[in-house]
């Protein structure tokens, strides 16, 4: 029994240690919605984009208030990160929504299996929640970008404090 407990503790230590290494290397500690499709983000925006209900999820303004990054731009580079199943995406930023301004380029990890994949030259809108490295909102469809841009700009004035 003691040996089993020791083995379980060692396995947990390896998992936690590997997670720490991935986060520190910039490969990201993605969340379960990191591979949200453009259709999903568009459906949220079109339906009033409730990012949840009273059970702890956020409205549009709440999402924006708690997002660490919401930007629009052009994919400059997509580089595979060996052994992670993730890509490192470099985005030339055309417009900052949250924060109001920043660097000309941002870099973030993204699941390599997203569909449709991001490619250099793609125009995208990306949102990354606080505490996460990977986008939980993204689209590269121009109609979806226009729809998302509309709710983002409408919700920004209300996005003063985080509804956590």
């Amino acid at each position: 029994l003691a040996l089993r407990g020791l083995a379980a503790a060692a396995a947990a230590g390896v998992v936690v240690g590997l997670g720490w290494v991935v986060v520190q290397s910039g490969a990201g500690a993605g969340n379960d919605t990191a591979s949200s499709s453009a259709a999903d983000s568009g459906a949220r925006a079109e339906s009033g984009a409730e990012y949840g209900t009273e059970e702890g999820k956020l409205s549009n303004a709440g999402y924006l208030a708690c997002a660490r990054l919401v930007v629009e731009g052009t994919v400059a580079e997509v580089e595979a990160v060996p052994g992670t199943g993730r890509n490192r995406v470099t985005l030339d930023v055309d417009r900052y929504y949250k924060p109001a301004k920043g660097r000309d380029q941002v870099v973030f990890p993204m699941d390599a299996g997203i569909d449709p994949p991001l490619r250099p030259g793609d125009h995208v809108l990306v949102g990354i929640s606080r505490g996460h490295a990977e986008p939980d909102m993204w689209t590269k469809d121009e109609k979806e970008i226009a729809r998302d841009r509309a709710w983002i700009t409408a919700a920004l004035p209300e996005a003063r404090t985080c509804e956590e």
Side-chain angles (χ1 to χ4, degrees):
L1 185 59
L3 187 56
R4 286 185 186 159
L6 183 59
V14 168
V15 170
V16 170
L18 286 175
W20 181 84
V21 168
V22 168
V23 170
Q24 296 303 317
S25 70
N31 62 28
D32 292 336
T33 60
S35 61
S36 293
S37 70
D40 289 343
S41 87
R44 285 191 307 265
E46 188 173 26
S47 68
E50 286 293 318
Y51 284 87
T53 62
E54 296 93 49
E55 289 91 26
K57 296 182 183 176
L58 302 171
S59 66
N60 286 343
Y63 174 81
L64 289 173
C66 294
R68 74 174 179 86
L69 182 70
V70 180
V71 294
E72 190 175 335
T74 304
V75 176
E77 183 178 14
V78 178
E79 176 186 5
V81 179
T84 66
R86 304 220 184 306
N87 290 326
R88 183 173 291 121
V89 178
T90 303
L91 185 69
D92 290 333
V93 179
D94 297 327
R95 183 169 183 184
Y96 272 87
Y97 297 99
K98 172 83 184 265
K101 59 184 174 178
R103 297 179 182 210
D104 292 341
Q105 285 189 329
V106 295
V107 179
F108 54 86
M110 196 156 189
D111 184 18
I114 62 167
D115 186 31
L118 293 182
R119 292 189 169 87
D122 285 345
H123 179 231
V124 297
L125 187 140
V126 176
I128 303 175
S129 293
R130 190 177 314 150
H132 296 278
E134 289 190 35
D136 55 357
M137 180 189 77
W138 65 274
T139 185
K140 68 179 202 174
D141 178 88
E142 290 302 323
K143 288 182 182 178
E144 302 288 334
I145 290 172
R147 193 173 312 140
D148 286 350
R149 185 185 305 122
W151 74 255
I152 289 168
T153 55
L156 274 173
E158 297 175 47
R160 303 237 190 276
T161 60
C162 187
E163 298 176 11
E164 293 185 284

